[in-house]
Amino acid sequence: MIPFLDLKAQYATIGHDIEAAALRVLRSGRFVLGDEVATLEDNFAAYCGTRHAIAVNTGTSALHLALLAAGVKRGDEVITTPFTFIATAAAIRYIGARPVFVDIDPATFNIDPGRIEEAITPRTRAIVPVHLYGQMADMDAILAIAEKHGLAVIEDACQAHGAEYKGHRAGSMGISGCFSFYPGKNLGACGEGGMVVTNSDDHAKQIRMLRDWGQDRRYHHIVEGYNYRMDAIQGAILAVKLAQLENWIEARRTRARLYGQLLTGPTVDAPREAAGRRHVWHVFAVRTRDREQLQKMLAREGVETGLHYPVPVHLQPAFADLGYDVGSFPTAEAAADSVLSLPLYPELELSSVEKICDLIVQDAYVD
Ligand SMILES: *Cc1c(COP(=O)(O)O)cnc(C)c1O
């Protein structure tokens, strides 16, 4: 059996260091924020190449606070992609702002910059590109449009820790960048976690206040805030794991390259790294004509697969009031109907990649 994801395999490689870090926190009596989290923030800002990093409790909270710091208010519009995890749009809605979707580029699955301008109205405040599957969106084009129209760009980098666009790390190109440390992400906590990175001193200050009840010192609440603080135990664990992230990314890239070489034939289209990018392969999603059949065949052979995502956000019942319908974003809908995510993680055996590719390639020639 080849699991879609195997967090136990990763734990086996660094469990000793994680246990030492967790024990240090348990014995310290300091459980929320504190030095452990501050150290993670410093290390993560350095990793992303930004002046600041502010740790929070989830990636969703990171997006919520980054939008607030960018001045997004009730009734504003925020342009984003419908082909993403629900959290991107949910964070916009938390403010009472409206997500305005723009269809995707079929080659990268990311927002199509060529369609952004037609979605801009006098109410548009920000653009939230999502670096889906671990590959950055076309940031030069997006930043040029944002500058022309006076819009903030907030990167949803929740799947893209360490990804690059023309040498710039994910999160460092917009006014801020948001990360998730959900356990299954490329850098995952032993629980929940998130981070905002920014080069703006002002945004960093606001986000620091907002995550901790809007206070600038204890019991002095300058703005209405939230309890979005990171636990010390997650900060300590994530600092241990961050030191491994480059090795893990290289291992992912090696496995993605092998998939790309071996997945030939008519059954599937393998995803590609676009020019000028460093793809970190959070998800390896192939396109296939008969997804259900392929998924069933792989399941029969003991290979677990995933769907990211079977329903685009504009067709989710939770957001029916936005007024979108089938046909609103045909490229995103076609992607949702045809993608299948194959197992990919640093500890995945290369022989497992070969086996999966054999099964898929041979499947083309049997009935
Ligand atoms: C995981 C994810 C989020 C949300 O992060 P959480 O830590 O689960 O709140 C947001 N956007 C994208 C694209 C994600 O993949």
PDB file of all heavy atoms in Angstrom, residues 48-72:
ATOM      1  N   CYS A  48      12.287  33.537   4.131  1.00  0.00           N
ATOM      2  CA  CYS A  48      11.472  34.128   3.058  1.00  0.00           C
ATOM      3  C   CYS A  48      12.118  35.375   2.464  1.00  0.00           C
ATOM      4  O   CYS A  48      11.685  35.855   1.415  1.00  0.00           O
ATOM      5  CB  CYS A  48      10.082  34.495   3.584  1.00  0.00           C
ATOM      6  SG  CYS A  48       9.111  33.073   4.073  1.00  0.00           S
ATOM      7  N   GLY A  49      13.125  35.923   3.147  1.00  0.00           N
ATOM      8  CA  GLY A  49      13.735  37.152   2.656  1.00  0.00           C
ATOM      9  C   GLY A  49      12.874  38.368   2.910  1.00  0.00           C
ATOM     10  O   GLY A  49      12.813  39.278   2.091  1.00  0.00           O
ATOM     11  N   THR A  50      12.201  38.397   4.066  1.00  0.00           N
ATOM     12  CA  THR A  50      11.362  39.553   4.413  1.00  0.00           C
ATOM     13  C   THR A  50      11.851  40.163   5.732  1.00  0.00           C
ATOM     14  O   THR A  50      12.546  39.512   6.509  1.00  0.00           O
ATOM     15  CB  THR A  50       9.881  39.152   4.592  1.00  0.00           C
ATOM     16  OG1 THR A  50       9.777  38.125   5.581  1.00  0.00           O
ATOM     17  CG2 THR A  50       9.292  38.656   3.278  1.00  0.00           C
ATOM     18  N   ARG A  51      11.450  41.413   5.980  1.00  0.00           N
ATOM     19  CA  ARG A  51      11.852  42.086   7.227  1.00  0.00           C
ATOM     20  C   ARG A  51      11.136  41.499   8.434  1.00  0.00           C
ATOM     21  O   ARG A  51      11.695  41.475   9.524  1.00  0.00           O
ATOM     22  CB  ARG A  51      11.506  43.581   7.144  1.00  0.00           C
ATOM     23  CG  ARG A  51      12.450  44.376   6.264  1.00  0.00           C
ATOM     24  CD  ARG A  51      11.919  45.790   6.065  1.00  0.00           C
ATOM     25  NE  ARG A  51      11.777  46.531   7.307  1.00  0.00           N
ATOM     26  CZ  ARG A  51      12.763  47.181   7.909  1.00  0.00           C
ATOM     27  NH1 ARG A  51      13.974  47.155   7.387  1.00  0.00           N
ATOM     28  NH2 ARG A  51      12.544  47.846   9.009  1.00  0.00           N
ATOM     29  N   HIS A  52       9.876  41.067   8.236  1.00  0.00           N
ATOM     30  CA  HIS A  52       9.078  40.640   9.384  1.00  0.00           C
ATOM     31  C   HIS A  52       8.385  39.305   9.120  1.00  0.00           C
ATOM     32  O   HIS A  52       8.036  39.005   7.983  1.00  0.00           O
ATOM     33  CB  HIS A  52       7.976  41.662   9.686  1.00  0.00           C
ATOM     34  CG  HIS A  52       8.485  43.045   9.905  1.00  0.00           C
ATOM     35  ND1 HIS A  52       9.033  43.441  11.092  1.00  0.00           N
ATOM     36  CD2 HIS A  52       8.544  44.113   9.075  1.00  0.00           C
ATOM     37  CE1 HIS A  52       9.401  44.713  10.996  1.00  0.00           C
ATOM     38  NE2 HIS A  52       9.119  45.133   9.774  1.00  0.00           N
ATOM     39  N   ALA A  53       8.142  38.571  10.200  1.00  0.00           N
ATOM     40  CA  ALA A  53       7.251  37.415  10.165  1.00  0.00           C
ATOM     41  C   ALA A  53       6.471  37.438  11.467  1.00  0.00           C
ATOM     42  O   ALA A  53       7.051  37.660  12.541  1.00  0.00           O
ATOM     43  CB  ALA A  53       8.046  36.114  10.034  1.00  0.00           C
ATOM     44  N   ILE A  54       5.159  37.253  11.365  1.00  0.00           N
ATOM     45  CA  ILE A  54       4.285  37.297  12.542  1.00  0.00           C
ATOM     46  C   ILE A  54       3.542  35.968  12.623  1.00  0.00           C
ATOM     47  O   ILE A  54       2.758  35.641  11.732  1.00  0.00           O
ATOM     48  CB  ILE A  54       3.288  38.468  12.468  1.00  0.00           C
ATOM     49  CG1 ILE A  54       4.025  39.788  12.252  1.00  0.00           C
ATOM     50  CG2 ILE A  54       2.447  38.546  13.747  1.00  0.00           C
ATOM     51  CD1 ILE A  54       4.051  40.275  10.829  1.00  0.00           C
ATOM     52  N   ALA A  55       3.793  35.214  13.684  1.00  0.00           N
ATOM     53  CA  ALA A  55       3.210  33.876  13.807  1.00  0.00           C
ATOM     54  C   ALA A  55       1.782  33.971  14.330  1.00  0.00           C
ATOM     55  O   ALA A  55       1.490  34.756  15.249  1.00  0.00           O
ATOM     56  CB  ALA A  55       4.054  33.031  14.760  1.00  0.00           C
ATOM     57  N   VAL A  56       0.914  33.160  13.765  1.00  0.00           N
ATOM     58  CA  VAL A  56      -0.484  33.095  14.193  1.00  0.00           C
ATOM     59  C   VAL A  56      -0.909  31.633  14.330  1.00  0.00           C
ATOM     60  O   VAL A  56      -0.087  30.717  14.188  1.00  0.00           O
ATOM     61  CB  VAL A  56      -1.404  33.859  13.211  1.00  0.00           C
ATOM     62  CG1 VAL A  56      -1.131  35.355  13.280  1.00  0.00           C
ATOM     63  CG2 VAL A  56      -1.248  33.345  11.795  1.00  0.00           C
ATOM     64  N   ASN A  57      -2.200  31.433  14.608  1.00  0.00           N
ATOM     65  CA  ASN A  57      -2.650  30.079  14.945  1.00  0.00           C
ATOM     66  C   ASN A  57      -3.039  29.213  13.742  1.00  0.00           C
ATOM     67  O   ASN A  57      -3.061  27.997  13.851  1.00  0.00           O
ATOM     68  CB  ASN A  57      -3.810  30.149  15.951  1.00  0.00           C
ATOM     69  CG  ASN A  57      -4.999  30.913  15.394  1.00  0.00           C
ATOM     70  OD1 ASN A  57      -4.859  31.716  14.474  1.00  0.00           O
ATOM     71  ND2 ASN A  57      -6.167  30.671  15.945  1.00  0.00           N
ATOM     72  N   THR A  58      -3.371  29.849  12.595  1.00  0.00           N
ATOM     73  CA  THR A  58      -3.691  29.086  11.377  1.00  0.00           C
ATOM     74  C   THR A  58      -3.354  29.938  10.149  1.00  0.00           C
ATOM     75  O   THR A  58      -3.209  31.171  10.251  1.00  0.00           O
ATOM     76  CB  THR A  58      -5.198  28.732  11.255  1.00  0.00           C
ATOM     77  OG1 THR A  58      -5.953  29.938  11.060  1.00  0.00           O
ATOM     78  CG2 THR A  58      -5.727  27.986  12.465  1.00  0.00           C
ATOM     79  N   GLY A  59      -3.322  29.289   8.999  1.00  0.00           N
ATOM     80  CA  GLY A  59      -3.156  30.015   7.743  1.00  0.00           C
ATOM     81  C   GLY A  59      -4.357  30.894   7.447  1.00  0.00           C
ATOM     82  O   GLY A  59      -4.224  31.979   6.863  1.00  0.00           O
ATOM     83  N   THR A  60      -5.529  30.440   7.827  1.00  0.00           N
ATOM     84  CA  THR A  60      -6.745  31.226   7.621  1.00  0.00           C
ATOM     85  C   THR A  60      -6.672  32.541   8.397  1.00  0.00           C
ATOM     86  O   THR A  60      -7.003  33.606   7.870  1.00  0.00           O
ATOM     87  CB  THR A  60      -7.979  30.416   8.074  1.00  0.00           C
ATOM     88  OG1 THR A  60      -7.942  29.138   7.447  1.00  0.00           O
ATOM     89  CG2 THR A  60      -9.266  31.121   7.690  1.00  0.00           C
ATOM     90  N   SER A  61      -6.203  32.470   9.654  1.00  0.00           N
ATOM     91  CA  SER A  61      -6.039  33.686  10.453  1.00  0.00           C
ATOM     92  C   SER A  61      -5.005  34.609   9.814  1.00  0.00           C
ATOM     93  O   SER A  61      -5.160  35.840   9.833  1.00  0.00           O
ATOM     94  CB  SER A  61      -5.581  33.336  11.876  1.00  0.00           C
ATOM     95  OG  SER A  61      -6.512  32.498  12.517  1.00  0.00           O
ATOM     96  N   ALA A  62      -3.935  34.019   9.257  1.00  0.00           N
ATOM     97  CA  ALA A  62      -2.909  34.826   8.586  1.00  0.00           C
ATOM     98  C   ALA A  62      -3.550  35.643   7.464  1.00  0.00           C
ATOM     99  O   ALA A  62      -3.324  36.853   7.338  1.00  0.00           O
ATOM    100  CB  ALA A  62      -1.798  33.920   8.042  1.00  0.00           C
ATOM    101  N   LEU A  63      -4.388  34.987   6.651  1.00  0.00           N
ATOM    102  CA  LEU A  63      -5.063  35.686   5.552  1.00  0.00           C
ATOM    103  C   LEU A  63      -6.007  36.765   6.086  1.00  0.00           C
ATOM    104  O   LEU A  63      -6.040  37.886   5.570  1.00  0.00           O
ATOM    105  CB  LEU A  63      -5.860  34.679   4.712  1.00  0.00           C
ATOM    106  CG  LEU A  63      -5.035  33.774   3.796  1.00  0.00           C
ATOM    107  CD1 LEU A  63      -5.862  32.562   3.356  1.00  0.00           C
ATOM    108  CD2 LEU A  63      -4.539  34.546   2.576  1.00  0.00           C
ATOM    109  N   HIS A  64      -6.765  36.429   7.107  1.00  0.00           N
ATOM    110  CA  HIS A  64      -7.718  37.382   7.696  1.00  0.00           C
ATOM    111  C   HIS A  64      -6.987  38.647   8.150  1.00  0.00           C
ATOM    112  O   HIS A  64      -7.377  39.766   7.806  1.00  0.00           O
ATOM    113  CB  HIS A  64      -8.437  36.691   8.862  1.00  0.00           C
ATOM    114  CG  HIS A  64      -9.540  37.492   9.482  1.00  0.00           C
ATOM    115  ND1 HIS A  64     -10.154  37.100  10.637  1.00  0.00           N
ATOM    116  CD2 HIS A  64     -10.128  38.658   9.126  1.00  0.00           C
ATOM    117  CE1 HIS A  64     -11.085  38.002  10.955  1.00  0.00           C
ATOM    118  NE2 HIS A  64     -11.084  38.947  10.052  1.00  0.00           N
ATOM    119  N   LEU A  65      -5.907  38.484   8.900  1.00  0.00           N
ATOM    120  CA  LEU A  65      -5.195  39.648   9.431  1.00  0.00           C
ATOM    121  C   LEU A  65      -4.456  40.410   8.341  1.00  0.00           C
ATOM    122  O   LEU A  65      -4.391  41.654   8.378  1.00  0.00           O
ATOM    123  CB  LEU A  65      -4.222  39.219  10.536  1.00  0.00           C
ATOM    124  CG  LEU A  65      -4.847  38.579  11.777  1.00  0.00           C
ATOM    125  CD1 LEU A  65      -3.801  38.437  12.879  1.00  0.00           C
ATOM    126  CD2 LEU A  65      -6.053  39.365  12.279  1.00  0.00           C
ATOM    127  N   ALA A  66      -3.914  39.715   7.366  1.00  0.00           N
ATOM    128  CA  ALA A  66      -3.222  40.403   6.264  1.00  0.00           C
ATOM    129  C   ALA A  66      -4.210  41.265   5.477  1.00  0.00           C
ATOM    130  O   ALA A  66      -3.892  42.393   5.076  1.00  0.00           O
ATOM    131  CB  ALA A  66      -2.539  39.388   5.345  1.00  0.00           C
ATOM    132  N   LEU A  67      -5.420  40.765   5.277  1.00  0.00           N
ATOM    133  CA  LEU A  67      -6.454  41.544   4.577  1.00  0.00           C
ATOM    134  C   LEU A  67      -6.849  42.763   5.393  1.00  0.00           C
ATOM    135  O   LEU A  67      -6.990  43.875   4.867  1.00  0.00           O
ATOM    136  CB  LEU A  67      -7.687  40.663   4.315  1.00  0.00           C
ATOM    137  CG  LEU A  67      -7.525  39.591   3.235  1.00  0.00           C
ATOM    138  CD1 LEU A  67      -8.593  38.502   3.386  1.00  0.00           C
ATOM    139  CD2 LEU A  67      -7.601  40.209   1.836  1.00  0.00           C
ATOM    140  N   LEU A  68      -7.032  42.585   6.712  1.00  0.00           N
ATOM    141  CA  LEU A  68      -7.386  43.716   7.581  1.00  0.00           C
ATOM    142  C   LEU A  68      -6.283  44.776   7.554  1.00  0.00           C
ATOM    143  O   LEU A  68      -6.563  45.972   7.433  1.00  0.00           O
ATOM    144  CB  LEU A  68      -7.608  43.229   9.018  1.00  0.00           C
ATOM    145  CG  LEU A  68      -8.910  42.482   9.298  1.00  0.00           C
ATOM    146  CD1 LEU A  68      -8.882  41.885  10.703  1.00  0.00           C
ATOM    147  CD2 LEU A  68     -10.120  43.401   9.143  1.00  0.00           C
ATOM    148  N   ALA A  69      -5.026  44.327   7.655  1.00  0.00           N
ATOM    149  CA  ALA A  69      -3.912  45.285   7.671  1.00  0.00           C
ATOM    150  C   ALA A  69      -3.811  46.039   6.349  1.00  0.00           C
ATOM    151  O   ALA A  69      -3.351  47.184   6.307  1.00  0.00           O
ATOM    152  CB  ALA A  69      -2.593  44.556   7.970  1.00  0.00           C
ATOM    153  N   ALA A  70      -4.267  45.396   5.259  1.00  0.00           N
ATOM    154  CA  ALA A  70      -4.234  46.055   3.942  1.00  0.00           C
ATOM    155  C   ALA A  70      -5.413  47.018   3.774  1.00  0.00           C
ATOM    156  O   ALA A  70      -5.570  47.620   2.713  1.00  0.00           O
ATOM    157  CB  ALA A  70      -4.231  45.008   2.833  1.00  0.00           C
ATOM    158  N   GLY A  71      -6.244  47.120   4.795  1.00  0.00           N
ATOM    159  CA  GLY A  71      -7.339  48.093   4.745  1.00  0.00           C
ATOM    160  C   GLY A  71      -8.606  47.580   4.085  1.00  0.00           C
ATOM    161  O   GLY A  71      -9.492  48.360   3.753  1.00  0.00           O
ATOM    162  N   VAL A  72      -8.710  46.270   3.888  1.00  0.00           N
ATOM    163  CA  VAL A  72      -9.934  45.709   3.299  1.00  0.00           C
ATOM    164  C   VAL A  72     -11.060  45.828   4.330  1.00  0.00           C
ATOM    165  O   VAL A  72     -10.877  45.484   5.505  1.00  0.00           O
ATOM    166  CB  VAL A  72      -9.728  44.244   2.886  1.00  0.00           C
ATOM    167  CG1 VAL A  72     -11.044  43.637   2.400  1.00  0.00           C
ATOM    168  CG2 VAL A  72      -8.652  44.145   1.806  1.00  0.00           C
TER     169      VAL A  72
END
